[in-house]
Amino acid sequence: MSSANSTVLVIDDDPHVLASIGRLLRSVGVNAQLFGSIPEFLSSDPPDGPACLVLDVRLPGQSGLDLQRELAEANNEIPIIFVTGHGDIPMTVQAMKRGAIEFLTKPVRDQELLDAIQTGLSRDRARRESERELAVLKERFESLSPREREIVILVAHGRLSKQIAFDIGIAEATVKVHRSKAMQKMQAGSLLELGRIAARLKLLPNVASRAS
């Protein structure tokens, strides 16, 4: 499980629990940041690499469920693993509906916690990779000329070259030249792939609305 660039953030007001989880994570080569309260966590700098949050439900002041809701409202998608000594079914359902990885009851078995953490780190790693890929696609699209962007959007809408030529008042051969250059810049190997890229970039409102 060792991953030098991954970080597990742990929030628990019990110092013995914090120390125990910290030792466990260090024993498998995972970086750990330990916090005794939510304010302490919120005042810290977020990790640069993949991360997940091991969060006690019952904390002084703000609860773990409150923090989960606050993070979601801030579009912070860090995976959360809840641990509690006083869990109940409604609390578990609420946490899982909001996307928690797992809801574990204290005392937590080491392997059970490590398995949940591995899932959380893998999910965050995949999310970060997807965001990097999307940023690259946006950069490529921005490199297109205004005419190439226009043609990419029309192609993605299913318009044929002759239809695009008529739509924007240029020769069909010119449309094909622009389309070819745009596909090269976007690194799209086919019109189908170009359409998928356009959907990821939300260039097609109808596609974006169906996805949501």
Side-chain angles (χ1 to χ4, degrees):
M1 184 176 171
S2 178
S3 184
N5 69 331
S6 298
T7 303
V8 178
L9 310 167
V10 187
I11 307 176
D12 199 302
D13 62 338
D14 186 332
H16 298 293
V17 171
L18 277 182
S20 176
I21 295 177
R23 285 193 300 270
L24 175 64
L25 294 173
R26 286 191 293 273
S27 74
V28 294
V30 176
N31 297 322
Q33 292 184 16
L34 310 178
F35 305 96
S37 68
I38 289 176
E40 186 181 343
F41 162 76
L42 292 175
S43 65
S44 67
D45 295 326
D48 293 330
C52 71
L53 175 61
V54 177
L55 177 60
D56 192 11
V57 174
R58 298 184 184 276
L59 293 162
Q62 190 178 20
S63 73
L65 293 173
D66 291 335
L67 176 61
Q68 183 189 32
R69 182 175 59 251
E70 182 179 324
L71 292 174
E73 290 172 352
N75 294 319
N76 185 328
E77 300 180 37
I78 185 171
I80 297 176
I81 300 153
F82 280 104
V83 293
T84 182
H86 310 280
D88 54 39
I89 292 177
M91 187 183 295
T92 304
V93 171
Q94 181 180 355
M96 300 303 283
K97 277 187 175 180
R98 290 178 180 166
I101 296 290
E102 190 58 90
F103 198 100
L104 305 175
T105 303
K106 296 178 181 177
V108 181
R109 291 188 296 113
D110 288 354
Q111 193 57 54
E112 191 175 28
L113 180 58
L114 290 176
D115 288 345
I117 287 171
Q118 183 64 49
T119 299
L121 292 176
S122 296
R123 182 177 297 183
D124 199 49
R125 191 175 294 110
R127 177 187 63 82
R128 288 170 177 267
E129 180 60 30
S130 178
E131 289 178 351
R132 281 192 291 269
E133 291 174 355
L134 184 58
V136 169
L137 292 178
K138 288 179 178 179
E139 185 176 343
R140 290 174 185 168
F141 186 72
E142 289 299 318
S143 73
L144 303 182
S145 68
R147 179 65 83 190
E148 288 166 351
R149 292 180 204 167
E150 182 181 23
I151 290 175
V152 164
I153 293 172
L154 290 171
V155 168
H157 274 91
R159 303 291 286 172
L160 302 174
S161 294
K162 61 182 179 181
Q163 293 171 321
I164 295 173
F166 178 80
D167 291 340
I168 61 180
I170 61 176
E172 183 178 351
T174 305
V175 170
K176 292 180 178 179
V177 169
H178 284 304
R179 187 186 68 187
S180 177
K181 288 182 178 179
M183 290 179 67
Q184 289 176 7
K185 291 179 182 179
M186 297 297 295
Q187 298 186 22
S190 66
L191 293 179
L192 181 60
E193 186 177 357
L194 187 65
R196 292 196 187 105
I197 292 173
R200 285 201 68 185
L201 292 174
K202 298 184 179 180
L203 302 178
L204 308 176
N206 57 330
V207 173
S209 63
R210 283 202 303 270
S212 63

